[in-house]
Amino acid sequence: MITVPALPFDLSFDPKTVALIVIDMQRDFIEPGGFGETLGNDVSLLAPAVEATKGLLALFRAHGWPVIHTREAHRPDLSDCPEAKRTRGAPHLRIGDEGPMGRVLIRGEPGCQIVAACAPVEGEFVVDKPGKGAFYATELTSILADLGTRTLVFAGVTTEVCVQTTMREANDRGFECLLIEDATESYFPAFKAATLDMIRAQGAIVGWTAPLAALSAAVSRETAA
Ligand code: TIU
């Protein structure tokens, strides 16, 4: 077992049943000209999550533990994008519109791709999801059942939207969830802080949080033993 000094208390997991899920580290959210910016956000606020996510990916790859990437990605005909989502807010580009990185949040378009530093490698799962939660209308449930996953380690963007939604879905399905604090960011720093608090409140009501360094050190201690 690996025991991570986390909040609100230590989390122990069996490395045979752990998986990493990296939520929506896409150009559309992280780079200028994409969906995040068209919603009026300062996308540079998400940049710090890239380095820690890269480190987390390296840790999982070094141990051969499963990695799942998600993308918020709609079909080109928008048949999986309800009007309630497409017409939300007053962006200058809506989902499906042609922008500087191709059609916004559409499968296969340049903006929809995961940023190069966190790109999937051979053997990793990539799940395209039409919603905020990664379990809704995707194959994630069966992927995790096949892997025998019990503990999910989370990274990605944005903390209070797709990351938190997916953590709550995972918690309802019986997974233990650990969010890596420096591998997630929000366009609203106060929302990130509040989300971390909400997740671990009431005795880990949704899950645990810890910095990457705490997980890495715990893994090194156990694998050296
Ligand atoms: N707008 C925002 O903060 N996030 C999203 O729309 N999607 C994700 O979080 N991936």
Side-chain angles (χ1 to χ4, degrees), residues 8-9 168 197-207:
F9 50 85
R168 288 174 182 276
D197 283 344
M198 280 187 257
I199 284 165
R200 60 199 176 202
Q202 305 181 67
I205 187 93
V206 175

Side-chain angles (χ1 to χ4, degrees), residues 20-26 29-30 45-46 48-50 52-54 56-57 68-70 118 153-164 167 178-187 192 196:
L20 172 63
I21 182 160
V22 180
I23 305 289
D24 301 356
M25 289 294 283
Q26 294 162 261
F29 294 107
I30 294 173
L45 288 163
L46 302 192
V50 173
T53 301
K54 203 174 140 186
L56 194 52
L57 284 163
I68 300 150
H69 304 258
T70 71
C118 302
V153 175
F154 279 80
V157 296
T158 62
T159 317
E160 81 282 9
V161 182
C162 293
V163 175
Q164 181 173 214
M167 279 189 86
L178 171 65
L179 175 57
I180 301 303
E181 296 162 9
D182 39 345
T184 184
E185 289 297 343
S186 168
Y187 299 120
K192 174 180 172 178
L196 298 184

